Amino acid sequence: MTQDNVARTYYDTGDVDGFYAQAWGGENIHVGIYSDAREAVGAAARRTVERMAAKAADALGPGRAVLDLGSGYGGAARQLAESYGCRVTGLNISEVQNRRHREINAERGLDGLIDVVTGSFQDVPAPDAAYDVVWSQDALCHSPDRATVLREAVRVLKPGGHLVFTDFMAVEDAPAAELRPLTDRLTVTGFATPAFYEEQLRSLPLSDVSFEELSEHLQTHYERLTDEVRDPSPTLVASVSAAYLEGLRESLPQVAAACAKGLLEWGIFHARRA
C-alpha cells in the first residue's frame, strides 16, 4: 500500500474521523498555540492560523491565491478566506474530510472563495507559479518523500510568494520506541527533524528561511487532548468505538510524555520564493 493510500485509509476510518470531528472540534484539526494550559483546543488552533498568516500577510487579500496542502476539514482555509478575502485551494487526500470541508464552506457562504481538490501533495495539480502562498499544517509527516513535497510547493509559488508550514518533528536520534505512540496513531514510519527541513529549504530557490520553535505548545496540545479523552463528551463517546477510545487514553499521555522529554519538536517554518 502506498503512503498516500495509508494516509487516505487512516483519515477515512470512522474512529479517526470521529475523534478529529469531536475532540478537535472538526474545524481546524491542527496543533494549537495556547494562551494557557486549559484553553479550548479549537481556540488555540485558530491562533496558530493567525500566527502563520501574519508571516505571509503581505500576500494575503482579495485577488490573492493560497494553496493549503493537506487541508483536512478546511478550518484554516475558511479562516484565511473570511479574514483576508483571498481564494484558497484545499488539496487533501481524504474524500471523507473533503466532503465535510465542502459542506461547511457552503453553510458559511464561502464556497465561492474555496476550492476543495482531492489529490496528493506529492504531485500538485497546478501550473508553475500559480499561488501567492503555499500553506500546510501538520500534514507533511504523512509523506514518504517530503523533499518532493517541498519542491512541488516551491514550483507552484509565484516569485516573492510565501511558503509557511508546520509539522510534527523529532529531535535527532530520538528513540523510535518512545515516538511509537504517535507514529502508530498517525500510521507513519517516522518524522523529519527541523535540521532536515532547514537543509531542504535552503537547497531550494527560497530566501529568508526561518523556523519559529514552539514545541512547548505541542506538549500542551497533547495534554489537552488527553483531558478530552479522559473525560469524554457524550458526542465523542458516540462517535468512536470503545476500543479506539481506550487506545487514545493510553497513547495520548505517552505522546505528551515524549514532548516533556524533549523528543518531539514543532513550530512554524517560513520562506519566500526567490
Side-chain angles (χ1 to χ4, degrees), residues 159-220:
H162 296 259
L163 172 62
V164 57
F165 70 93
T166 63
D167 199 23
F168 296 107
M169 292 170 286
V171 299
E172 299 286 350
D173 302 319
E178 298 208 51
L179 302 181
R180 193 159 294 127
L182 185 54
T183 56
D184 285 355
R185 191 177 70 75
L186 295 175
T187 62
V188 300
T189 56
F191 299 113
T193 64
F196 168 83
Y197 279 132
E198 289 201 43
E199 180 182 4
Q200 292 297 315
L201 294 172
R202 295 186 188 282
S203 73
L204 294 166
L206 295 166
S207 64
D208 304 326
V209 175
S210 66
F211 175 56
E212 183 180 8
E213 198 270 333
L214 297 162
S215 300
E216 70 274 15
H217 296 283
L218 183 64
Q219 180 178 342
T220 301

Side-chain angles (χ1 to χ4, degrees), residues 2 27 37 49 78 86 100 110 116 138 140 150 157 162 171 184 192 198 210 212 215 228-229 233 242 271:
T2 68
E27 179 78 9
V49 176
R78 284 185 291 277
C86 52
R100 183 173 297 164
L110 292 169
V116 183
D138 310 332
L140 273 61
L150 293 176
L157 262 181
H162 296 259
V171 299
D184 285 355
E198 289 201 43
S210 66
E212 183 180 8
S215 300
E228 294 291 327
V229 301
S233 67

Side-chain angles (χ1 to χ4, degrees), residues 128-146:
D128 296 354
Y131 295 99
D132 299 283
V133 177
V134 174
W135 175 288
S136 185
Q137 289 181 261
D138 310 332
L140 273 61
C141 60
H142 289 287
S143 172
D145 189 355
R146 296 165 187 127

